[in-house]
Amino acid sequence: MHRWTDDTERLAREILEYVRTRARLDPVPLDGPRSADELRRDAGATVTEEGLGGSEALRVFREVLAPACLSVDHPRFLSFIPAAPTEAALLFDLVVGASSIYGGSWLEGSGAVFAENEALRWLADLAGLPEGAGGVFVQGGTLGNVSALVAARAAARGRRPAPPPRWKVVCSEHAHSSLDHAARVMDVDLVAVRPDADGRLTGAAVAEAMDDDVFAVFATAGTTNFGIVDDLASVAAVCRERGIWLHVDGAYGGAALAAASARPLFAGVEHADSFTVDPHKWLFAPFDCCALLYRDPAAARAVHRQSAGYLDVLEGDEWNPSDYALNLTRRARGLPFWFSLATHGTRAYCDAIETTLAVARFAADEVRRRAYVELLREPDLSVVVFRRTGWTAERYREWSRRLLDANVAFVTPTVHEGETVTRFAIVNPRTTRSDVSMILDTMA
Ligand SMILES: Cc1ncc(COP(=O)(O)O)c(C=O)c1O
């Protein structure tokens, strides 16, 4: 198993050929879910005492398992928040996997950590965070958010001799579900305030909800359902006045910091104490990758660093990524993103994000132009939410299922204020105007 043999050589060719073929499909089939019974029947026994051999295991994956996984990078996969990794990032993911890099400490992975930090610095500069800012790439926005809030609470504890009966986080009703999860895990309360008429969390609403038990304000730069960027400047002003930690969740929307046309929406993000953005969403990296940045990394390190006799040897090193989140062993998951940035340059990123924003604006125009659909809100970023007049929830589900079964598109319904509607989340620069028009035509 641990020696390179002729069989391994053959398997390497087959795997690389699979990767080349998958990457070159244009477009890749959308594929779709199957039941466990169907998969069991078609895959047969896969974990056996003697093993299937690499070629056969790869065949099962290629013919049975892979087609049962939706292709999130399909240009007409417009549900949830899709992904659209660059070819360079995808290919480099193979290199990361093949290199057995331990990305938790400087001692073991200095080259990788250095490169990841270069990529983090680009993001920190986009947000206007100070020179001393830094952090770590974690698995996803969920882990980024909880890690940031744990740091925020620790900082508040350090400032208060007597803890309040219940710690609280102020957020908008539109904050991502991962915040609710974080609050449950941390056993803290959420004070969810109603956003303004335009859907934004504002400083005024935050000020009203504030009391002595609040340790953090959680603002969103690009809500999941609508792509709304909270009024970060007014929220930040309240946080600064009261000395409260501001976390900005830019898991989806933070990428648009790179787009000149959207940058003004983010005014105030430079005051964030912590900031997250997922390169696996709109920054063209493969799963899974969230950039977690702190204004003052020492505050995060104070709570996240693990200590034990066997870790003492790491103490005092340049930068140990594990010290900044709920993790110890970690894949250097920022490397595919770094490699793609290094390959293509930042301008290509800015242009690609502008492309998706332009297609989203086109989609909004197309919705406005058609009598049978209605735009719910002018998009801030690249999420376009609309209703098909007269449709029930069931009708949306049928339509969505039909599009997927026909390998046309993956567009799911969502719920807004009790009403079932639908949305396009566009992060793939290869999603075209005609893709959008064609999907809207199917609703006529
Ligand atoms: C605004 C926002 N925050 C957090 C998350 C959670 O990120 P992840 O799915 O990477 O854990 C998402 C996911 O869509 C999101 O849109």
Side-chain angles (χ1 to χ4, degrees):
M1 288 203 302
H2 289 84
R3 275 210 324 271
W4 193 277
T5 63
D6 289 347
D7 278 351
T8 326
E9 186 64 38
R10 262 193 304 280
L11 185 59
R13 289 211 191 92
E14 285 177 43
I15 287 180
L16 291 175
E17 192 47 40
Y18 174 82
V19 171
R20 275 164 59 89
T21 306
R22 167 64 176 76
R24 292 166 75 169
L25 289 172
D26 186 17
V28 59
L30 267 163
D31 295 324
R34 302 179 69 201
S35 71
D37 281 345
E38 288 172 318
L39 291 171
R40 206 170 291 117
R41 185 195 64 213
D42 292 352
T46 58
V47 178
T48 63
E49 196 165 337
E50 297 302 321
L52 304 182
S55 294
E56 175 58 11
L58 183 61
R59 183 198 66 76
V60 172
F61 179 75
R62 184 179 56 238
E63 294 179 7
V64 182
L65 306 178
C69 301
L70 273 164
S71 300
V72 180
D73 53 348
H74 188 289
R76 290 189 296 277
F77 184 120
L78 304 179
S79 293
F80 313 119
I81 305 291
T86 64
E87 312 301 338
L90 277 181
L91 290 170
F92 203 71
D93 207 32
L94 294 181
V95 176
V96 177
S99 304
S100 296
I101 296 167
Y102 181 89
S105 72
W106 189 264
L107 175 68
E108 288 154 286
S110 59
V113 176
F114 172 82
E116 285 189 311
N117 285 353
E118 295 266 295
L120 286 173
R121 188 64 244 167
W122 179 60
L123 296 171
D125 285 342
L126 286 177
L129 292 175
E131 209 39 52
V136 54
F137 287 101
V138 295
Q139 175 243 329
T142 299
L143 193 60
N145 285 340
V146 71
S147 297
L149 289 176
V150 164
R153 182 175 58 182
R157 273 193 182 131
R159 281 196 307 271
R160 287 186 53 159
R166 300 282 303 166
W167 286 107
K168 295 179 187 166
V169 179
V170 174
C171 62
S172 154
E173 286 174 357
H174 293 176
H176 186 260
S177 53
S178 56
L179 174 58
D180 194 49
H181 185 194
R184 271 182 279 128
V185 169
M186 294 171 69
D187 195 23
V188 301
D189 291 336
L190 290 183
V191 184
V193 304
R194 186 128 187 99
D196 70 3
D198 199 22
R200 298 177 208 284
L201 182 69
T202 63
V206 167
E208 209 168 300
M210 203 61 105
D211 66 28
D212 288 346
D213 304 346
V214 172
F215 70 90
V217 172
F218 184 101
T220 307
T223 59
T224 315
N225 224 10
F226 276 83
I228 297 170
V229 182
D230 286 338
D231 181 356
L232 301 177
S234 71
V235 172
V238 173
C239 290
R240 288 198 309 157
E241 194 187 303
R242 310 220 178 191
I244 299 293
W245 184 292
L246 171 63
H247 175 66
V248 176
D249 174 5
Y252 149 64
L257 283 166
S261 70
R263 183 60 179 83
L265 287 168
F266 295 85
V269 68
E270 65 279 9
H271 298 301
D273 294 289
S274 50
F275 170 66
T276 42
V277 53
D278 283 1
H280 69 214
K281 292 188 164 63
W282 200 3
L283 283 170
F284 319 128
F287 297 129
D288 45 26
C289 187
C290 163
L292 164 61
L293 282 160
Y294 299 96
R295 166 177 300 278
D296 172 16
R301 191 169 177 274
V303 64
H304 284 304
R305 190 175 75 90
Q306 297 187 26
S307 57
Y310 41 80
L311 298 175
D312 279 356
V313 65
L314 306 177
E315 185 52 31
D317 266 347
E318 192 108 8
W319 192 267
N320 293 322
S322 298
D323 290 351
Y324 301 97
L326 288 155
N327 57 188
L328 183 63
T329 297
R330 63 178 288 278
R331 176 181 176 84
R333 59 169 52 80
L335 277 188
F337 173 54
W338 162 80
F339 183 76
S340 182
L341 266 179
T343 300
H344 295 293
T346 57
R347 192 177 319 124
Y349 275 70
C350 304
D351 292 348
I353 294 163
E354 287 290 9
T355 299
T356 52
L357 285 166
V359 172
R361 288 179 201 123
F362 170 85
D365 289 342
E366 276 294 281
V367 169
R368 256 191 303 267
R369 215 172 58 73
R370 292 160 191 254
Y372 54 89
V373 277
E374 288 170 359
L375 196 62
L376 265 73
R377 185 186 187 279
E378 205 55 47
D380 273 5
L381 300 175
S382 66
V383 179
V384 183
V385 188
F386 56 98
R387 71 168 61 85
R388 166 60 167 89
T389 49
W391 275 16
T392 58
E394 190 46 40
R395 194 73 200 279
Y396 280 103
R397 272 196 294 273
E398 274 169 22
W399 165 78
S400 172
R401 188 75 223 183
R402 220 168 352 98
L403 287 186
L404 180 61
D405 288 348
N407 193 37
V408 169
F410 185 56
V411 185
T412 48
T414 186
V415 174
H416 173 63
E417 307 211 324
E419 179 189 359
T420 299
V421 293
T422 193
R423 65 194 260 292
F424 293 155
I426 301 168
V427 302
N428 191 332
R430 304 203 56 195
T431 303
T432 61
R433 287 167 164 77
S434 49
D435 287 331
V436 163
S437 302
M438 186 259 274
I439 297 170
L440 288 172
D441 286 346
T442 66
M443 302 180 102

